């Protein structure tokens, strides 16, 4: 009986800890799940933000990202294979088809912060605005965390 209670308590603590790390923001049928960034080293002028967009409605397009308080430039980027060399390229928008997802992740789509105004420190919470063609603007909070922390 004691083992069962301990197992239930441990499971509850794990769930609570996971929920603390997971956060999401809605815009109509779009759900922006767990925006996060890696900490940067002092003096670094660039950082990146990652999240998932889940679309349970009609197709929409992410047309812009911004955070004037964080960086001089905020852009959407993707990694592409250019004749065997991985390169990062800016993308003008990100279509999210109906009932689909877009994954912003390391070595894939991501939001690039250039000209950081201060380092991204573990535990910081940062503002980011996503602008969609149909859903409009969504303000989200980005959590700075280690890459190996569970997201959700």
């Amino acid at each position: 009986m004691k083992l069962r209670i301990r197992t239930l308590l441990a499971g509850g603590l794990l769930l609570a800890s996971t929920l603390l790390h997971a956060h999401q923001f809605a815009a109509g049928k779009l759900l922006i799940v767990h925006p996060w960034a890696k900490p940067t080293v002092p003096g670094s002028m660039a950082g990146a933000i990652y999240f998932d967009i889940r679309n349970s409605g009609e197709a929409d397009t992410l047309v812009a990202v911004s955070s004037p308080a964080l960086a001089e430039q905020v852009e959407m980027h993707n990694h592409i294979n250019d004749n065997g060399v991985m390169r990062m390229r800016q993308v003008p928008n990100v279509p999210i088809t109906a009932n689909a997802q877009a994954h912003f992740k390391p070595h894939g789509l991501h939001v690039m912060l250039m000209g950081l105004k201060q380092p991204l420190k573990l535990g910081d919470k940062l503002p980011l605005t996503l602008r969609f063609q149909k859903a409009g603007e969504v303000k989200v909070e980005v959590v700075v965390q280690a890459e190996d922390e569970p997201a959700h």
Side-chain angles (χ1 to χ4, degrees):
M1 182 62 124
K2 285 183 183 180
L3 180 59
R4 187 176 204 182
I5 291 172
R6 284 186 195 152
T7 302
L8 288 173
L9 284 174
L13 288 174
L14 179 61
L15 177 61
S17 134
T18 300
L19 291 174
L20 287 176
H21 286 291
H23 56 289
Q24 55 193 26
F25 305 86
K29 297 286 185 171
L30 297 176
L31 192 62
I32 295 85
V33 180
H34 193 69
W36 68 281
K38 297 179 202 177
T40 57
V41 296
S44 176
M45 295 302 292
I49 296 173
Y50 313 102
F51 49 88
D52 286 342
I53 302 171
R54 297 179 186 161
N55 184 2
S56 62
E58 66 178 313
D60 204 340
T61 302
L62 179 59
V63 294
V65 290
S66 63
S67 187
L70 276 180
E72 293 170 16
Q73 290 180 276
V74 182
E75 300 174 349
M76 293 177 285
H77 283 221
N78 200 1
H79 280 94
I80 61 164
N81 186 332
D82 183 11
N83 293 320
V85 177
M86 293 305 289
R87 299 187 191 278
M88 189 172 54
R89 296 281 188 254
Q90 183 178 6
V91 294
N93 58 58
V94 176
I96 302 111
T97 56
N99 299 308
Q101 297 185 44
H103 303 285
F104 284 66
K105 59 186 180 182
H107 311 293
L109 279 171
H110 59 281
V111 172
M112 195 72 204
L113 304 170
M114 294 169 292
L116 281 175
K117 296 184 178 178
Q118 61 189 25
L120 305 181
K121 296 180 292 208
L122 205 58
D124 282 353
K125 294 182 178 168
L126 315 166
L128 180 70
T129 301
L130 308 177
R131 193 171 77 224
F132 294 91
Q133 189 172 35
K134 295 177 183 169
E137 282 192 359
V138 183
K139 294 186 184 303
V140 303
E141 184 176 76
V142 177
V143 175
V144 179
Q145 68 177 51
E147 185 171 5
D148 58 354
E149 286 185 43
H152 42 80

